[in-house]
Amino acid sequence: MFSEAHPQLHTIRDLLRFAVSQFNKAGLHFGHGSATAFDEAAYLILKTLYLPLDQLEPFLDARLTATECKQILGILERRVHERIPAAYLTHEAWLGEFSFYVDKRVIIPRSFIAELLQTQLSPWITDPNDVTMALDLCTGSGCLAILLAHAFENVQIDAADLSKDALAVAKKNVQDYGLEHRIELIESDLFSSLKKKRYDLIISNPPYVNAESMQQLPQEYRHEPGSALASGNDGLDATRRILRHAAQHLTEDGILIVEIGHNRDALEQAYPQLPFTWLETSGGDEFVFLLQREQLRNE
């Protein structure tokens, strides 16, 4: 179909229509940045042509060279036949206005914590200048550590991950943003390599997919590292370990913020004694919790 279509497609409008049709026909899953077939097709076409990602309309009727058309069809074909997420095809993912390099060594950045950092975690942090040491646990691509550095001007950040491959990607992103002097990358199985370090703020977007959901993941998600997704039968294995040790690594007034996917009910049933504060995000108030060190002391 793709090679047959090549001689018939001349403009970006032609390719966009063709791409949306093929994406819908194939029943692709969109959960890594784009919400619809149209949005993802437009992104892939504009990105491949080195055009501004927010300016589709002026270029819709621009005619393409044979080489440009071939390049676009090639990336669209891979998206359809291999079900590779767009971010891995372009090696680019976005959180708000920030872009990050990604490849299959890391999960594609997506986190409600990113939008919470835009408000400097107000009202839970009243003076951003008081945050001088922070930890991004399970940093992956380093995206949240980088957003932390932009949200809190005085903060020094440890960004920890068990995966050497993930840390290699994080290193590239940290260097791209010129933050080597503020972000230290640490190979660590959660807190294991952090010794007695304490932090004013710990954030984490750990693995949290339960066993049943892992079996039902769309093909697109199966390109991501399984170890960065799966977290035991109920999805809470990593979160349990974080709750067990977090108090030892928080300063007296320190806070812990963790994203747990759709596991709110399971977590509250497992820890009825913990007074979780559920933070409001664009997706609702069931995905990210906050606990203060005092609330974790007896855990």
Side-chain angles (χ1 to χ4, degrees):
M1 173 63 74
F2 285 84
S3 58
E4 175 186 330
H6 189 179
Q8 309 300 321
L9 304 175
H10 305 291
T11 67
I12 289 177
R13 189 186 300 274
D14 293 340
L15 276 162
L16 183 61
R17 196 285 306 161
F18 176 78
V20 173
S21 294
Q22 294 304 309
F23 287 3
N24 287 334
K25 180 181 177 181
L28 299 187
H29 183 85
F30 308 103
H32 292 102
S34 300
T36 66
F38 179 90
D39 289 344
E40 187 140 308
Y43 166 72
L44 286 172
I45 292 170
L46 291 169
K47 181 68 177 177
T48 303
L49 294 174
Y50 300 94
L51 292 173
L53 299 180
D54 59 349
Q55 295 183 33
L56 173 64
E57 190 68 30
F59 301 104
L60 275 172
D61 294 311
R63 292 177 65 88
L64 302 172
T65 67
T67 299
E68 288 175 330
C69 189
K70 182 178 179 180
Q71 288 174 336
I72 293 170
L73 287 173
I75 202 167
L76 298 178
E77 186 172 18
R78 292 194 69 196
R79 180 68 184 92
V80 168
H81 291 160
E82 300 177 50
R83 300 295 178 102
I84 299 173
Y88 286 153
L89 292 170
T90 63
H91 296 303
E92 177 186 70
W94 290 80
L95 281 177
E97 298 179 354
F98 292 81
S99 67
F100 303 96
Y101 172 87
V102 294
D103 59 35
K104 291 186 179 182
R105 292 175 290 178
V106 294
I107 64 170
I108 296 166
R110 51 190 183 275
S111 175
F112 290 118
I113 294 175
E115 62 187 62
L116 295 170
L117 290 174
Q118 294 177 6
T119 65
Q120 297 175 305
L121 299 174
S122 174
W124 304 104
I125 294 177
T126 55
D127 186 351
N129 292 320
D130 289 342
V131 180
T132 60
M133 285 295 298
L135 170 65
D136 176 21
L137 204 58
C138 306
T139 193
S141 62
C143 56
L144 291 182
I146 290 167
L147 295 184
L148 260 177
H150 282 84
F152 299 96
E153 294 182 358
N154 296 329
V155 73
Q156 291 291 320
I157 300 161
D158 286 344
D161 204 286
L162 177 61
S163 168
K164 291 182 179 179
D165 285 341
L167 289 172
V169 175
K171 181 178 180 180
K172 174 175 173 51
N173 283 317
V174 169
Q175 290 175 339
D176 286 348
Y177 278 95
L179 290 169
E180 302 97 317
H181 63 298
R182 295 182 58 200
I183 299 176
E184 181 178 357
L185 301 172
I186 302 172
E187 183 182 344
S188 181
D189 183 2
L190 295 180
F191 295 106
S192 63
S193 299
L194 302 179
K195 300 180 181 178
K196 296 182 179 181
K197 286 190 171 185
R198 290 184 179 269
Y199 304 92
D200 305 307
L201 171 64
I202 298 173
I203 64 170
S204 184
N205 185 15
Y208 54 65
V209 182
N210 63 41
E212 181 181 356
S213 296
M214 284 296 295
Q215 295 298 317
Q216 300 172 1
L217 285 178
Q219 285 181 257
E220 282 82 354
Y221 289 91
R222 299 185 184 279
H223 289 277
E224 297 184 293
S227 61
L229 297 171
S231 195
N233 192 55
D234 62 359
L236 295 176
D237 282 6
T239 303
R240 285 190 183 90
R241 292 174 61 198
I242 292 171
L243 290 173
R244 190 177 308 129
H245 300 290
Q248 304 167 32
H249 295 279
L250 286 167
T251 56
E252 195 62 33
D253 297 319
I255 61 174
L256 169 71
I257 293 175
V258 181
E259 186 163 341
I260 60 157
H262 294 277
N263 295 327
R264 174 173 175 170
D265 289 344
L267 185 67
E268 290 183 326
Q269 290 174 16
Y271 294 91
Q273 78 283 9
L274 286 180
F276 296 104
T277 295
W278 294 94
L279 303 183
E280 189 68 41
T281 72
S282 60
D285 65 351
E286 59 182 285
F287 301 105
V288 182
F289 71 77
L290 178 149
L291 287 167
Q292 298 169 324
R293 181 174 185 264
E294 185 63 34
Q295 297 167 327
L296 285 159
R297 277 185 185 278
N298 298 320
E299 180 45 42

